[in-house]
Amino acid sequence: MNLKKWTAFVNNALWVLNPFLLLIAFFSEKLKLGMYLEWLGKMHPLFLHFPIVLGILIGIYYLVDKKGSVDSNKLYPILVGNAFLASIVAILGIFISKQDSYDDSLIFAHQWGGIAIAMIGWGLIYLQQYNQRFKSNYILRVEFSMVYLLVIIIFTHKGAQLTHGTSVISFPQKETAENTQIIKVVTDSNATLYARAVAPILQQKCVSCHGTDKVKGELLLNTPENILKGGKDGDILTANKDKEAMLFERIHLDITHKKHMPPDGKAQLTREEVAILSRWIKAGGDFKTKMNELAKTDTLFLLANKYTPADNTKVEVKTGLPDLAEYNSNYCTVNYLYYGSDAIDVNFFQGTFYSRDVLKKLEKLQDQVLRLNMQGMPLTNEDVNIISQFNNVESINLNYTKLDLKTLEPLKQLKKLKLLSICGLKFTESELTNFLKGSTIANINIWSSVIDKTQLEKLVARYPKTKFTIGDNMESEVLKINPPTIDQDSSIITKFLDVKMKHPLNGVTIRYTLNGVDPDSLTSPIYKNTLRLTRNANLKIKVFKPGWIGSDIIQRNFYKSEIRPDSIYLISSPDQKYLGNGAKTLVDLELGGSNFTNKKWLGYKDTTMKFMVNFNQPRVLHQAFLNSLIDVGSYIFPIVSISVEGSNDGIKFTKITETKFPYELTQKDVMKDIKTFTVDFPNNTSYKHYRFTVLNVKKLPVWHPGKGTTAWIFMDELFLN
Amino acid sequence: MNEFLEHGLNQNRRKFLSKMSLGLGGLALGSLMAPGLFNASNEDELFANVLPHFAPKAKRIIYLFQNGAPSQLDLFDYKPLLQTMHGEELPASIRKGQRLTGMTANQAKFPLAGTKFKFSQHGSNGAWFSETLPHLAKMADDMCIVKTIYTEAINHDPALTFFQTGSQVGNRPSMGSWISYGLGSENKNLPAFCVLLSKGKGNGQGVYSKLWNNGFLDSIHQGVQFSSGEEPVKYLTDPEFIKRGDKREILDEISALNQESYKEIGDPEIVTKIQQYELSYRMQMAVPEITSLQNEPESIVKMYGPECLVPGTYAANCLLARKLSENGVRFVQLYHQGWDTHGNLPSEIVGQCKDIDQSSAALIQDLKQRGLLDETLVIWGGEFGRTNYCQGALTKDNYGRDHHPKCFTIWMAGGGVKPGVHGETDEFGYNINSLPVHVHDFHATIMHLMGVKHEEFTYKHLGRRYRLTDVSGNVINDLIS
Amino acid sequence: MKKYISLGAIVLVVIGLIYGIAYIADGKKGGRSKAISYNQDIRPILSDKCFSCHGPDANKVKAGLRLDIPSRAFAELEKNKGHYAIVPGFPEKSDLITRIESNDPAIMMPLPESHLTKLTKEEIALFKRWIQEGAKYEKHWAFVAPVKSALPEVDHTKWVRNEIDNFILEKMEAKGFDPNEEAPRDALIKRAYSDVVGLPPSYEALNKWRNNTDEYWYAKMLDELLQKPAYGEKMAIQWLDLARYSDSYGFQDDEIRSQWPWRDWVINSFNKNMHYDEFITNQIAGDLLPNASKANILATAFFRNHKYTEEGGIIEEEYRVSYNIDKTRTYGKAVLGVTIECAQCHDHKYDPFSNKDYYQLYAFFNESKEKGFEGDVGSSTKAKTPKLYISKEERSSFLNFVNTVDTGMIEVSVMGDWKAGDTVKPRPTYILSRGSYDAPTNILVKPTALESIMPYDSTKYGSNRLGLAKWTSNKKNPLTARVFVNFIWQDMFGRGLVKTSGDFGLQGELPSHPELLDWLAVDFMEHNWDIKYLVKKILSSNTYKQSNLISKKQLEQDPENLTYSRSPRLRFKAEIVRDYILSTSGLLNTTIGGPSVKPYQPKGVWESSTSGRGSLASYKQDHGSDIYRRGLYTFIKLTAPPPSMMIFDASNRDQCEATRSSTNTPLQALTMLNDPTILEAARVLGENTSLSKKSLDEKIEQAFETIVIRKPTKFEREKLIAYCQKQVAFFNTKPAVADAALKVGEFEHPKQKYNSSEAAALMKTILIMYNLEETITKS
């Protein structure tokens, strides 16, 4: 197919494309696309350059060619091609516009602009072909081409803005500091308002021209001093009666005004920033006011407090603060002091796992480390050398690192070092004096050094500039050691019972007795890994350790309980509140403990306690223990008497024994205790049924708050042997 | 920031944190280790939760909670007038129809009860201490004593819950959980939030696990209960027949097999699991090493008092608290029961003070001499105060006191607080004259000391933004040095 | 001329073409429809950023502006005459836009003080578009009754098994994902077992289903599982969380209570497949049903599971009120999925619930005879009035699901113990100012359900709980079915279609698949609230049956699995972890119901926190078969819940809890390795395995299949065998250690003689199997 045919075909195609274009343009809101068309859309940026270039050339051609000498037939294919490309691009444009949500206003302009271009291009074919006036009249052509070019430039630029951002092809902006620098913000609440908000704004938006590397209008805005100094027109902060303060005025001027600051084309102040600066100036523009001195409701406070330099955070994430992950390990945490700060806080834990490489890594951050905690790490002078490179470190904790003072010498070069903790290091007086020579460290913790306290106090008194924490050394004091813990919950010996005792301190001697006698430090048996009990025991234990007063004696009763009844029941019911677990309570081999409300006790008051113990076969009994609670404060008194009757048929009972427990409770011993009451049976007592009757105090003594009323008794266990 | 983004953000955080060593890490660590992770569109919201917001004064907290409410009038808040007016009726003008608990509500008279203890002044600020606290008195110059804290609840459960979670009811995260969530653990082999319990001989109230509950935060932020007994942490000790070597071998087997199924399935949770097992292994070594008393010099034992060698005592817990804190635990929470002195106050309170006096003082001293006090905030106090009038029969030397929410005393030390005595109550010790500090203010201040803006540190749950200080609370700058 | 005709023709063709494109695109829902939806796009932002000051809470409304209702939003601004917050169609004229765009603290919204962050560009754009398009408001989706929408078209029609798949696949395709393959049979078996009965298949059952050649084997398996009594136990777990069930009263002394018969009622109801409407009616108002049986009354214990104080000296009314507040909250969250409690002190800030609405609902519960305080721990009883007494006879006859060896009367706290002829006299309810008991206003309210959800006609329903029950289970109620269906979905997929399953309100998250949720809800009601039907429906879908492999793409683009293009890998709930281990080891005691039990527990958990008063001051562990009961029977002491459960994210039962978190912590690792329960399980299974005649290799394989529910891979097989052999060798040299190992736990050793070093070796190998991530994870 020769060029002519092609052109004809394309020209026809235009009759399809352009209506299509208009249609989808009008219904673009409604338009939905399959992914293929969308994909086509992506071609838009690819093709658009052709019609632009072609269009511009054509425009220029009409400008230059005064006579219109070129033959239409020669122009024809070019114009057709131009129109065709324009339409295609426009269509693709609409497709692509469906994909991402662009700024609607720009889209609108660009879309219709594009369509206009396409249409003009199309129209141009026919103008050139059939319109004689156009062909003949140069002026007309010029006017036309002007419009055409203008349209092309404006609306394609709109498109460029969509993709390359609004600043594309606007005046070249050189990469000033403000686009890249990290603006630090002191968010800590007793920072000054200036440091918190004002300085950062100036830093970011002004200093590029009013800073050291460039001083416009002799004005420097980088430090309070310079700001106060003002520029060539003098003071910029104070207003006089007819005129606002200059800084205030400049930032409020309309952007078109040539005195407006920052100048058009430079990064502008946000409304928030303007607000902060103006309010600050109005408030007298001073540099001292602290954030926490402002009322929490003060707008200026709210503004400043909320302020973060535009893009600041982004910048940080992009460039600034390195990710500390690689420095963190299982036994060492490395963190920024707070978010946005570049100061670093380092903590080592668990000396057993210390590795120098971890510390070595930190050399990369040596200027950032502010606090270093190496307590208990097994350090050597090599480590200290690494540490001594952290030239901004303010506090170092070397407690219990087993270093000797000589190795610490390098630390004295650390100019910023304010706090050094060296508790638990062993050193002599002279070593300390040597170390303190020429040290400028403000605070030193030297607690638990081997040097005697008074000497130490004398010594440090010579260094008034340094604050020492000596702490307390109580080595000398003689205190009473604490008793051991008995590691055996049960108190009941069936066949035998193994008792273990523990004491947390090393080098203690545990002595015990089983007969109720107080243990002494000489004769009483010494406890070794276990103590096996085989019969009733009143275990008393006392701990001894050189340099300590012997411990209090602790005691525990252990009860032998060989014989378990086949059944047991309560003849008289306990008080409703203290039913315990019924008769079982007496034989569940579980003691009630000191708390009588815990349902492990049977409580009797007005009814006399009676219970029956049964065996399937007659059983010989030698001894019975009844365990009972005494809590005089709560009206719980000791048992008065226990009497036991026996029977084999369960009907006819014969009295076996009655044991009285005479007691003399005086007001003095307001006692709380758990006591065992023993009943001894005459030899070869043997019955199937044993009936127990337990009597309680009927009249409380006069000294007791409840004098005259009956006392409680509480039982938790019966032991038979 | 819209639902999805925020949600996605939390998700990221959670997913990420759970993957971080131990999952005990907090936002701070998390976000700093991978800033790119939180690519949400709205920075401010994002960074509002990247902690700390500013340079913290305190890095760690030890909270000595006195469960049951100690009587401020017999310990710190000295009111001679009450002694002179001992037995006289509380003037209605002072009481102003304050609500009463059921225990004294139907009491006909409200006889004032003056303390039976001698008071004396200590330290450069001339702070008053009762004779029951000789050791603490020595530390007066390190203590920031707040006489004018007040609360809203008058019963133990709600009051405790309020102090610990910032809300009287409901399943809100405890202070420690918030801190754990926000700041994470310093020592990656220990939980960020540990809890220690002890009992005095006085009238107890019991504590509830919901006090150290994580509420709507992940349960990794739940307080981990430590005991000074043989097993410091539940399930920590291996059965005897599994020796360390065996254990290592078992873990290797497990992780090898888990690795394999990760290759097959590709679920990152499996990797997390592997890490958690490794961590548990490290914990098993770290914890006993840290909790063991064996390597403590005797002078320390003597300082805290020999009681500190008896597992489960307050003294033992104070010592343990120091060791944990020193090893990087952010928040150590102690509870000491037995302060609920409705009756027999004089005898009971002596016992309670004996429990806490020496060891609390020792804790301050111990931290101080190690150079740790500046970065460790110690707090001591109960859930409310006690009345200036007597509950039950008033005799010359015996009395009881009921709950009193309108003013009571707590003290703090270290961690950037300003030593001294803050606030004054009226001469009856019933109302506040100056510098009232509400519980929310107290929380706000603590958060501030930790470098956190309490208003911005929020967590969105069921569509609502929650924070420790609920909807109020101001930082009390007078308490900050 | 011809040319022009042809052109015209072409033009026509093109026009047709465009409309074609447009039409097809329209047909595709979820395609890039650009029309702004108030519910989807606008309200989430409004309620998040604006409603706290310009929302439903009448007392908090600033500048008289409300943005939650059009009439107020379009009205002239009170404070600023001539200005309008929203001018439909004209963003530029709408102050709202100016203010959200502004940075000037004087006018910007949200205000700096609010600590709410500025709207993002995208959000602002949304608002512009919305106003442009006429600022159309819509009623909140959840408060509009659900309707079955037509099943969406999908490309990959072959994959669709039932309706669920249409909805899921359609979204999946829209997001460009493909469903995973169907999971391998073993995985399906483990999965279905864990979801329906919360137990693993026995080795035999596993093989039975494996080798089943029937093409409907899966459906058959589901039917069989749904008939197992264990189904009720599994389903109960979630309901117990919602009902904050516990075995003690909470608060300081925390004495024992006996609500467990209610727990058994729940299990029984699920097993009988009591339909949800009946299920909920009984629990809300069983006692008020005409001639209510004891079973009906027992159901109402649901509302009495809250904490109950026994602290001396409390103010009775204060607590009575707090109990009713708890009841109201629980009803709202568990049944309606709304955070009604927010309206306790003030009008709800986000949802259309006024303070008055709250107390009208509260009034239903206020009528009960409940007291605030019945004496302290010293005189504690196992239930508080109103009580239901259940005698031994009743237990053996019609209440036979209440299972206990105890011979005496059992008492349970319930809502009503009305004697014949009793007439319920509702206690008058006044609005409490700031929700505090001691500040009643003089505004009297009568019991009425939340009318903004559905009108409440008291003449039709009556004004007691029975009315509330009818209103709740009315098929027109937009929430009841949705909420329950969502809970079931959550139980199966780990996340509800509405993620905030406890909050369907404005602040809750929007459903990921709204049409599906509605379809399921309606379908559920159409099948008369048949729960088993619902469960089977979900489990039969191909969505459910996908494999759980995670591709890189899924991990990167859909880590949360919002598209359901794979089956979720969820760690079992705390209770199930326990059940799984007991069951696989053969220790599990399958008794159903009865008083809660006290298995192994670390020392001092109760002792260290107790006040020292009451019968729960110290933990008295049970013995014998009791310590091998399923997890949901473990005794829950509110102030010190069982650690092994809490460590695995169980609810602390302090309050109604709708979703559990699922974490992965070192404490879990410690528990899995050192909890005596697990060591014992390993031991017992080890011993029994060592008894069989098989070779060591075969023994290990069988153990693996029993525990992990699939055949080991070559790698696994070799690794474990190698380890075990090594251990055997070791124990042969150290028999004493072997014996020490086998001492673990109270369960008696097998009668027959067995090789102890092999048993011990197997024990350790099995311990490893129990600790595999996969073992306690849904396959």
Side-chain angles (χ1 to χ4, degrees), chain B residues 176-187:
Chain B
S177 301
W178 278 113
I179 297 286
S180 162
Y181 171 66
L183 300 173
S185 179
E186 276 189 294
N187 182 336

PDB file of all heavy atoms in Angstrom, chain B residues 176-187:
ATOM      1  N   GLY B 176       2.025  -1.870  84.075  1.00  0.00           N
ATOM      2  CA  GLY B 176       3.184  -2.627  83.606  1.00  0.00           C
ATOM      3  C   GLY B 176       2.988  -3.125  82.186  1.00  0.00           C
ATOM      4  O   GLY B 176       3.907  -3.088  81.374  1.00  0.00           O
ATOM      5  N   SER B 177       1.769  -3.556  81.877  1.00  0.00           N
ATOM      6  CA  SER B 177       1.508  -4.052  80.524  1.00  0.00           C
ATOM      7  C   SER B 177       1.650  -2.923  79.518  1.00  0.00           C
ATOM      8  O   SER B 177       2.231  -3.092  78.452  1.00  0.00           O
ATOM      9  CB  SER B 177       0.096  -4.635  80.449  1.00  0.00           C
ATOM     10  OG  SER B 177      -0.049  -5.678  81.369  1.00  0.00           O
ATOM     11  N   TRP B 178       1.140  -1.756  79.870  1.00  0.00           N
ATOM     12  CA  TRP B 178       1.288  -0.595  78.983  1.00  0.00           C
ATOM     13  C   TRP B 178       2.768  -0.344  78.729  1.00  0.00           C
ATOM     14  O   TRP B 178       3.215  -0.191  77.595  1.00  0.00           O
ATOM     15  CB  TRP B 178       0.664   0.656  79.608  1.00  0.00           C
ATOM     16  CG  TRP B 178      -0.820   0.770  79.437  1.00  0.00           C
ATOM     17  CD1 TRP B 178      -1.760   0.692  80.436  1.00  0.00           C
ATOM     18  CD2 TRP B 178      -1.546   1.015  78.225  1.00  0.00           C
ATOM     19  NE1 TRP B 178      -3.018   0.855  79.897  1.00  0.00           N
ATOM     20  CE2 TRP B 178      -2.918   1.058  78.565  1.00  0.00           C
ATOM     21  CE3 TRP B 178      -1.171   1.197  76.889  1.00  0.00           C
ATOM     22  CZ2 TRP B 178      -3.919   1.285  77.620  1.00  0.00           C
ATOM     23  CZ3 TRP B 178      -2.159   1.419  75.945  1.00  0.00           C
ATOM     24  CH2 TRP B 178      -3.517   1.461  76.313  1.00  0.00           C
ATOM     25  N   ILE B 179       3.545  -0.333  79.820  1.00  0.00           N
ATOM     26  CA  ILE B 179       4.981  -0.059  79.669  1.00  0.00           C
ATOM     27  C   ILE B 179       5.621  -1.139  78.801  1.00  0.00           C
ATOM     28  O   ILE B 179       6.372  -0.857  77.873  1.00  0.00           O
ATOM     29  CB  ILE B 179       5.665  -0.020  81.052  1.00  0.00           C
ATOM     30  CG1 ILE B 179       5.100   1.137  81.890  1.00  0.00           C
ATOM     31  CG2 ILE B 179       7.158   0.094  80.906  1.00  0.00           C
ATOM     32  CD1 ILE B 179       5.574   2.504  81.477  1.00  0.00           C
ATOM     33  N   SER B 180       5.273  -2.388  79.082  1.00  0.00           N
ATOM     34  CA  SER B 180       5.832  -3.485  78.299  1.00  0.00           C
ATOM     35  C   SER B 180       5.485  -3.304  76.824  1.00  0.00           C
ATOM     36  O   SER B 180       6.334  -3.441  75.945  1.00  0.00           O
ATOM     37  CB  SER B 180       5.279  -4.811  78.808  1.00  0.00           C
ATOM     38  OG  SER B 180       5.464  -5.820  77.838  1.00  0.00           O
ATOM     39  N   TYR B 181       4.228  -2.947  76.560  1.00  0.00           N
ATOM     40  CA  TYR B 181       3.783  -2.768  75.176  1.00  0.00           C
ATOM     41  C   TYR B 181       4.522  -1.604  74.528  1.00  0.00           C
ATOM     42  O   TYR B 181       4.957  -1.678  73.380  1.00  0.00           O
ATOM     43  CB  TYR B 181       2.276  -2.520  75.157  1.00  0.00           C
ATOM     44  CG  TYR B 181       1.715  -2.097  73.812  1.00  0.00           C
ATOM     45  CD1 TYR B 181       1.723  -2.963  72.726  1.00  0.00           C
ATOM     46  CD2 TYR B 181       1.176  -0.828  73.637  1.00  0.00           C
ATOM     47  CE1 TYR B 181       1.207  -2.579  71.505  1.00  0.00           C
ATOM     48  CE2 TYR B 181       0.657  -0.436  72.420  1.00  0.00           C
ATOM     49  CZ  TYR B 181       0.682  -1.307  71.353  1.00  0.00           C
ATOM     50  OH  TYR B 181       0.165  -0.910  70.151  1.00  0.00           O
ATOM     51  N   GLY B 182       4.711  -0.557  75.313  1.00  0.00           N
ATOM     52  CA  GLY B 182       5.297   0.654  74.730  1.00  0.00           C
ATOM     53  C   GLY B 182       6.807   0.595  74.619  1.00  0.00           C
ATOM     54  O   GLY B 182       7.373   1.002  73.616  1.00  0.00           O
ATOM     55  N   LEU B 183       7.452   0.106  75.665  1.00  0.00           N
ATOM     56  CA  LEU B 183       8.906   0.222  75.717  1.00  0.00           C
ATOM     57  C   LEU B 183       9.606  -1.121  75.600  1.00  0.00           C
ATOM     58  O   LEU B 183      10.788  -1.191  75.315  1.00  0.00           O
ATOM     59  CB  LEU B 183       9.334   0.892  77.031  1.00  0.00           C
ATOM     60  CG  LEU B 183       8.783   2.306  77.234  1.00  0.00           C
ATOM     61  CD1 LEU B 183       9.113   2.813  78.612  1.00  0.00           C
ATOM     62  CD2 LEU B 183       9.324   3.246  76.179  1.00  0.00           C
ATOM     63  N   GLY B 184       8.871  -2.195  75.838  1.00  0.00           N
ATOM     64  CA  GLY B 184       9.484  -3.512  75.709  1.00  0.00           C
ATOM     65  C   GLY B 184      10.520  -3.765  76.785  1.00  0.00           C
ATOM     66  O   GLY B 184      10.700  -2.964  77.687  1.00  0.00           O
ATOM     67  N   SER B 185      11.185  -4.876  76.638  1.00  0.00           N
ATOM     68  CA  SER B 185      12.143  -5.280  77.652  1.00  0.00           C
ATOM     69  C   SER B 185      13.535  -4.848  77.235  1.00  0.00           C
ATOM     70  O   SER B 185      13.868  -4.859  76.065  1.00  0.00           O
ATOM     71  CB  SER B 185      12.115  -6.798  77.820  1.00  0.00           C
ATOM     72  OG  SER B 185      13.061  -7.171  78.791  1.00  0.00           O
ATOM     73  N   GLU B 186      14.351  -4.452  78.208  1.00  0.00           N
ATOM     74  CA  GLU B 186      15.743  -4.119  77.895  1.00  0.00           C
ATOM     75  C   GLU B 186      16.530  -5.399  77.720  1.00  0.00           C
ATOM     76  O   GLU B 186      17.253  -5.576  76.761  1.00  0.00           O
ATOM     77  CB  GLU B 186      16.343  -3.305  79.041  1.00  0.00           C
ATOM     78  CG  GLU B 186      16.050  -1.830  78.976  1.00  0.00           C
ATOM     79  CD  GLU B 186      16.854  -1.093  80.022  1.00  0.00           C
ATOM     80  OE1 GLU B 186      16.605  -1.310  81.227  1.00  0.00           O
ATOM     81  OE2 GLU B 186      17.736  -0.305  79.645  1.00  0.00           O
ATOM     82  N   ASN B 187      16.349  -6.298  78.677  1.00  0.00           N
ATOM     83  CA  ASN B 187      17.024  -7.583  78.609  1.00  0.00           C
ATOM     84  C   ASN B 187      16.119  -8.554  77.873  1.00  0.00           C
ATOM     85  O   ASN B 187      15.039  -8.888  78.337  1.00  0.00           O
ATOM     86  CB  ASN B 187      17.295  -8.089  80.029  1.00  0.00           C
ATOM     87  CG  ASN B 187      18.032  -9.398  80.006  1.00  0.00           C
ATOM     88  OD1 ASN B 187      17.980 -10.144  79.030  1.00  0.00           O
ATOM     89  ND2 ASN B 187      18.720  -9.685  81.089  1.00  0.00           N
TER      90      ASN B 187
END
